[in-house]
Amino acid sequence: MEVHHHPKVEKKEFKEYFLEFLMIFLAVTLGFFAETIRENIAEHRKAKEFAESMLNDLKEDTVQLRSYNKYFEFAANNIDTLQQLLSAADTKAIVTGKLYWYGLFGGAYRHFVPNDETFQQMKSSGSLRYFEKEASSAASKYDRFCRLMQSNEQMQESIYTEVRKLRAQIFDFRYNDIANTIAQQYYRNHSDYGPIDSFMKTSPPLLSYDKTLFNEYIELVRSRFIRVYNIGGADSLLHQASVLMRTLKTEYHLENE
């Protein structure tokens, strides 16, 4: 009769089990940290790419906003002069060339269109989370200011339409066109004031000398320009653009961009 001997099973000590557990735990933990670091590096790289793209958008916006401001400051100065002329003398005593020139700018018009493709892409894809808190907050605030300015422009459209209608009751469009052509030429080349001075010495006929019409025109224009320079105006937006550009340059080391 055979006797079967069972192989002797060596029992592991607690230390061996603990070491095996510790090695597995460390491997999983290190893998997790390695993956987290890899994701952080990838997200920072993406954030920097977005920051560079947004910085280029902002550069285009600031050029547009400075031109926008310059244009409306020029228009506002001319309207102020018209108001002073009308306050100091009877309409019929003022050279009509001056009335045509200064009155033209009540219908000044510019429309701001932000270069916000990068921001909208980040917003729709959830990529704003790649930005640090300060940059994300500054970008969101800039976008709100853009929307506010566009909303403000839409609200003043009705006033702008009324201004043009009222201007058409006072000024003959033929001479307005001449003044507008000179204004466009001057705006492209500020060194040549001669054509403006010559035009203001002429005496094109007005359609009306009615003081009431002129007063209504001035009041409507003043309402327009108050809206142009309110909190949603180009100055506020230009300031926020500068804040955002500075933040992006600092956080993503784009100082030389």
Side-chain angles (χ1 to χ4, degrees):
M1 184 177 189
E2 294 185 11
V3 178
H4 296 280
H5 298 280
H6 295 283
K8 186 177 181 181
V9 179
E10 295 183 3
K11 293 184 178 180
K12 293 183 181 180
E13 294 184 4
F14 173 76
K15 288 183 179 180
E16 293 181 80
Y17 283 113
F18 178 74
L19 285 173
E20 287 183 4
F21 167 77
L22 185 60
M23 290 175 67
I24 293 171
F25 175 78
L26 288 175
V28 172
T29 301
L30 289 174
F32 171 78
F33 281 130
E35 180 64 18
T36 300
I37 292 171
R38 186 191 68 79
E39 288 180 358
N40 286 340
I41 292 173
E43 288 185 1
H44 184 78
R45 185 176 65 250
K46 290 179 181 177
K48 186 170 184 177
E49 291 173 357
F50 279 126
E52 289 175 341
S53 179
M54 188 175 290
L55 192 59
N56 289 330
D57 290 346
L58 289 165
K59 286 178 180 177
E60 293 182 20
D61 279 2
T62 53
V63 169
Q64 186 183 171
L65 287 167
R66 289 191 183 100
S67 176
Y68 186 103
N69 259 353
K70 192 173 184 180
Y71 175 75
F72 275 108
E73 285 172 6
F74 180 63
N77 288 336
N78 281 289
I79 288 299
D80 284 346
T81 302
L82 175 65
Q83 187 173 344
Q84 292 168 14
L85 285 173
L86 293 173
S87 298
D90 184 77
T91 310
K92 293 182 178 180
I94 303 170
V95 178
T96 55
K98 290 184 178 181
L99 293 175
Y100 267 96
W101 173 255
Y102 295 121
L104 174 72
F105 294 94
Y109 184 82
R110 281 288 175 90
H111 185 60
F112 173 69
V113 181
N115 296 279
D116 61 352
E117 182 178 350
T118 302
F119 179 84
Q120 296 305 330
Q121 180 185 348
M122 293 183 72
K123 185 178 178 181
S124 62
S125 65
S127 301
L128 272 175
R129 62 187 176 84
Y130 295 153
F131 273 0
E132 297 295 332
K133 184 177 180 180
E134 187 177 355
S136 177
S137 176
S140 296
K141 187 174 181 179
Y142 179 74
D143 181 63
R144 288 197 301 274
F145 272 52
C146 284
R147 304 286 82 77
L148 181 60
M149 183 169 174
Q150 290 178 315
S151 175
N152 179 53
E153 287 183 336
Q154 289 175 357
M155 286 191 294
Q156 64 165 299
E157 284 291 336
S158 59
I159 301 177
Y160 171 74
T161 301
E162 291 305 312
V163 166
R164 294 294 294 263
K165 287 180 180 178
L166 198 55
R167 191 177 70 175
Q169 295 180 53
I170 301 171
F171 302 103
D172 190 317
F173 78 92
R174 293 172 297 176
Y175 304 107
N176 261 345
D177 280 348
I178 294 172
N180 187 54
T181 299
I182 294 171
Q184 294 301 319
Q185 291 172 348
Y186 172 77
Y187 200 72
R188 287 192 293 268
N189 181 12
H190 286 259
S191 62
D192 188 9
Y193 195 81
I196 297 174
D197 190 52
S198 297
F199 179 80
M200 287 197 294
K201 292 177 181 177
T202 63
S203 301
L206 295 176
L207 297 181
S208 175
Y209 289 87
D210 191 303
K211 290 182 179 180
T212 301
L213 278 179
F214 271 100
N215 188 67
E216 289 179 12
Y217 183 64
I218 290 294
E219 286 302 319
L220 272 176
V221 170
R222 279 159 52 90
S223 297
R224 272 200 72 208
F225 280 73
I226 287 171
R227 286 187 177 276
V228 168
Y229 290 112
N230 76 354
I231 185 62
D235 278 337
S236 299
L237 193 55
L238 191 56
H239 172 72
Q240 186 57 30
S242 298
V243 170
L244 178 52
M245 291 173 75
R246 185 167 60 250
T247 302
L248 294 174
K249 287 179 179 180
T250 301
E251 289 193 357
Y252 299 101
H253 309 291
L254 304 173
E255 287 82 0
N256 296 323
E257 294 295 325

